């Protein structure tokens, strides 16, 4: 089965590719759209829903600072979702899903696992949390996650986290520490069946 993947950024894309590889290797991503923040998704979600009649759409966005996922969904989607469109929300950000493989992430970053909360959805700003963890890492390469000057993230933030997702991230373990990831996996397993 072929799908169009719509995401906010490269980390969401790599994460969704990994989840599909693990749970739905019968689904092929034929194109990726977005990669320019959540306003693009919000402004076009109705169009994506209509287009999903012809090519299934898999959409992922971050909750960010919104109160809860149901309210964000209610705000963005005031229409019936087509069965060929899967809309998921990462709480609070995709970075929290990545952190949810606590043991794997701690080992990769060379920090104590107890520095990562059991419930990564409770982290107010997961990206900043990862940056702060990188400051404590004993690995020199991990320091590329830390921003320099006025930058919001280090030059290696996306590249290093992509590598972690592709090579080390265990989505099964991660789902135990993040409810929104667990729900997304459950929906991915049944999407288009």
């Amino acid at each position: 089965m072929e799908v169009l993947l719509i995401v906010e950024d490269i980390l969401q894309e790599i994460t969704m590719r990994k989840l599909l590889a693990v749970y739905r290797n019968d689904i092929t991503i034929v194109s990726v759209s977005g990669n320019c923040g959540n306003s693009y998704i919000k402004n076009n979600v109705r169009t994506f829903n209509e287009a999903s009649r012809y090519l299934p759409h898999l959409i992922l966005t971050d909750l960010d600072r919104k109160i809860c996922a149901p309210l964000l969904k209610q705000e963005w989607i005031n229409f019936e979702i087509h069965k060929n469109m899967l809309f998921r929300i990462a709480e609070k950000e995709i970075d929290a899903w990545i952190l949810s493989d606590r043991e794997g992430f701690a080992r990769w970053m060379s920090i104590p696992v107890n520095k990562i909360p059991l419930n990564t959805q409770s982290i107010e700003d997961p990206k900043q949390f990862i940056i702060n963890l990188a400051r404590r890492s004993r690995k020199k390469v991990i320091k590329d996650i830390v921003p320099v000057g006025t930058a919001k993230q280090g030059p290696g933030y996306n590249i290093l986290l992509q590598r972690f997702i592709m090579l080390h991230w265990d989505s099964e373990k991660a789902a135990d520490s993040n409810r929104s990831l667990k729900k997304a996996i459950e929906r991915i397993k049944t999407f288009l069946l």
Side-chain angles (χ1 to χ4, degrees), residues 27-124:
I27 293 178
T28 302
I29 297 169
V30 293
S31 184
V32 179
S33 184
N35 277 322
C36 49
N38 70 3
S39 60
Y40 171 77
I41 297 171
K42 179 182 180 182
N43 295 335
N44 293 288
V45 70
R46 183 181 289 273
T47 303
F48 298 146
N49 189 57
E50 292 300 317
S52 71
R53 297 174 192 272
Y54 310 103
L55 177 67
H57 284 50
L58 205 162
I59 302 172
L60 179 63
T61 191
D62 286 339
L63 181 63
D64 292 324
R65 303 261 184 245
K66 296 287 183 187
I67 295 170
C68 67
L71 285 178
L72 182 139
K73 188 174 179 182
Q74 181 181 357
E75 180 185 319
W76 289 18
I77 301 174
N78 60 356
F79 50 84
E80 186 176 335
I81 295 178
H82 192 276
K83 64 182 171 104
N84 288 346
M85 185 173 97
L86 178 58
F87 180 82
R88 299 311 309 166
I89 301 168
E91 296 183 33
K92 309 267 186 200
E93 298 172 338
I94 196 66
D95 312 70
W97 283 13
I98 298 165
L99 278 166
S100 294
D101 176 7
R102 296 172 63 247
E103 292 173 4
F105 196 83
R107 187 171 42 255
W108 175 75
M109 201 173 252
S110 194
I111 57 159
V113 71
N114 65 1
K115 298 292 183 191
I116 303 171
L118 291 173
N119 175 8
T120 58
Q121 279 183 207
S122 68
I123 301 169
E124 193 60 37

Side-chain angles (χ1 to χ4, degrees), residues 11 27 63 70 72 82 89 103 110 118 123 130-131 133 139 153 161 179 186-187:
L11 290 181
I27 293 178
L63 181 63
L72 182 139
H82 192 276
I89 301 168
E103 292 173 4
S110 194
L118 291 173
I123 301 169
I130 289 173
I131 290 167
L133 289 177
K139 290 184 180 176
Q153 63 190 40
L161 289 176
R179 183 177 37 91
E186 288 168 4
R187 286 290 290 121

Side-chain angles (χ1 to χ4, degrees), residues 16-29:
M16 290 306 297
R17 286 184 181 279
K18 175 81 176 232
L19 292 175
L20 289 174
V22 172
Y23 301 103
R24 291 300 301 276
N25 60 8
D26 60 326
I27 293 178
T28 302
I29 297 169

Side-chain angles (χ1 to χ4, degrees), residues 143-154:
K143 300 294 185 189
D144 282 346
I145 289 174
V146 178
V148 178
T150 59
K152 292 184 178 180
Q153 63 190 40

